[in-house]
Amino acid sequence: MKRDQDVAASFKKNQKLDAGQIERGLGTARVGRCVLCFDEVDSTNDVAWDSARQDNADGLVILAESQRMGRGRLGRKWLSRPGENLLFSVLLLEGDAPISQEAITIAAGLSVAEGVEDATSLRAELKWPNDVQIGGAKLAGVLVERRTVESGSATVIGVGLNVATAPPVEAVDNPATCLTAHLEATPDRVEVVRAVLRRLDEWLTRVAGGQLAELHDAWVARCGMLHQRVRVLSGGQNYEGSIIDVDPLAGLVLIDDYGVRVHLPAAETTILPRK
Ligand code: BT5
């Protein structure tokens, strides 16, 4: 049973998100230069897109306590009870030389896993392309969208991270988990998001500086899927084979049953549950 003190502490920590608390002393170069928190929006990715016309909006972070239409990839939904978890989006205005969407997707997943570990000491793992897991259950998902705006190419990185609660098993395709399930008390959402934003800022700088090999190695070190046999749906087609690599530019690299090497891009690929 939780002691009164613990309950009081977790209640205090689960107070509403505050932009000033997130921004203050964050120490990032780009991500989180401006932070906005909302009670309820359709999707934090949409709010971030609404700001993409403003020249000075690079690095903007949008958070919400709840979403009416939180989305995943390929038309799927993101579920989250109001006020309990983290739902946020980062806007990147990239001009004429955007970082590859593939690299951003895996840098974002890695940053969530590393940020979670920095803030809680929990070891989070990666499932290609965009799931962050603890003990094989989904803790967080990343949705990367890219569009062309007046200033050139723009990207929104959306992250849903289960802090205090996860959806019930009947509401999701694969088991879900939350940080609180692995800790004695609910962690402070502000500390968790700050840690993720710091890692994301760092990885974006490194990737822009050409450190794709480092990104690859750090990602693969947290991914238990190499050499596993998988079934994959990509661009409407089914593939079966062994994963041989995760390439920051080319996506998932699979050897299929005919010995053919296939590259499957993150945005349109889903690993199917085992039969
Ligand atoms: C993702 O899609 O995992 C990306 C989710 C990104 C959500 C964030 S929230 C902030 C920002 N604003 C948005 O509108 N979206 C982003 P995908 O790989 O397609 O996985 C979606 C699937 O995960 C669903 O079909 C469910 O089965 C499952 N799911 C939904 N909510 C979940 C949750 N809270 N925890 C774990 N699994 C969940």
Side-chain angles (χ1 to χ4, degrees):
M1 220 175 74
K2 283 188 176 170
R3 288 172 294 138
D4 288 354
Q5 221 174 309
D6 295 338
V7 173
S10 56
F11 177 76
K12 185 173 156 266
K13 284 176 179 171
N14 215 14
Q15 65 200 2
K16 266 196 179 178
L17 292 167
D18 177 274
Q21 273 184 14
I22 297 171
E23 270 174 0
R24 212 167 301 129
L26 189 60
T28 51
R30 184 179 182 193
V31 174
R33 289 188 311 151
C34 176
V35 177
L36 298 174
C37 297
F38 294 84
D39 274 344
E40 190 180 55
V41 298
D42 281 346
S43 155
T44 54
N45 272 33
D46 290 342
V47 179
W49 281 122
D50 289 344
S51 302
R53 284 168 181 226
Q54 295 166 20
D55 287 343
N56 59 354
D58 183 53
L60 172 71
V61 177
I62 303 291
L63 294 102
E65 297 288 358
S66 87
Q67 298 183 125
R68 287 179 287 265
M69 292 192 283
R71 59 179 177 267
R73 296 177 315 134
L74 308 166
R76 293 190 284 250
K77 292 192 174 120
W78 188 258
L79 310 169
S80 180
R81 277 177 32 185
E84 302 196 331
N85 300 314
L86 283 166
L87 305 163
F88 63 98
S89 300
V90 179
L91 172 67
L92 303 174
L93 299 179
E94 299 184 276
D96 300 333
I99 301 174
S100 105
Q101 187 169 341
E102 214 69 41
I104 290 193
T105 303
I106 73 167
L110 178 61
S111 304
V112 173
E114 291 180 343
V116 160
E117 192 161 331
D118 293 342
T120 65
S121 298
L122 290 171
R123 172 84 185 170
E125 274 157 13
L126 296 162
K127 177 183 167 194
W128 195 87
N130 64 335
D131 287 0
V132 180
Q133 301 185 324
I134 294 184
K138 184 158 171 169
L139 174 77
V142 175
L143 171 68
V144 175
E145 297 175 325
R146 173 158 285 174
R147 295 181 190 166
T148 303
V149 297
E150 271 164 35
S151 58
S153 185
T155 300
V156 170
I157 304 168
V159 178
L161 201 172
N162 302 325
V163 177
T165 56
V169 68
E170 63 277 10
V172 288
D173 303 333
N174 292 295
T177 192
C178 62
L179 294 176
T180 302
H182 304 273
L183 296 165
E184 294 204 335
T186 298
D188 185 349
R189 288 185 296 167
V190 168
E191 287 315 315
V192 177
V193 76
R194 278 163 63 89
V196 173
L197 296 177
R198 285 193 183 113
R199 288 288 187 169
L200 184 61
D201 191 67
E202 195 181 305
W203 274 116
L204 291 174
T205 306
R206 294 178 71 177
V207 171
Q211 295 190 23
L212 287 173
E214 289 81 352
L215 174 66
H216 168 271
D217 293 351
W219 206 95
V220 165
R222 278 184 191 264
C223 169
M225 302 185 74
L226 281 195
H227 312 298
Q228 253 185 39
R229 201 177 156 72
V230 287
R231 290 193 307 134
V232 178
L233 176 67
S234 182
Q237 224 180 312
N238 278 305
Y239 298 86
E240 222 167 310
S242 293
I243 299 179
I244 54 164
D245 203 3
V246 170
D247 184 314
L249 295 178
L252 190 71
V253 190
L254 204 75
I255 291 271
D256 74 10
D257 290 344
Y258 303 97
V260 177
R261 218 179 148 99
V262 232
H263 287 194
L264 305 171
E268 55 196 58
T269 304
T270 296
I271 295 183
L272 299 169
R274 293 205 192 121
K275 280 183 198 161

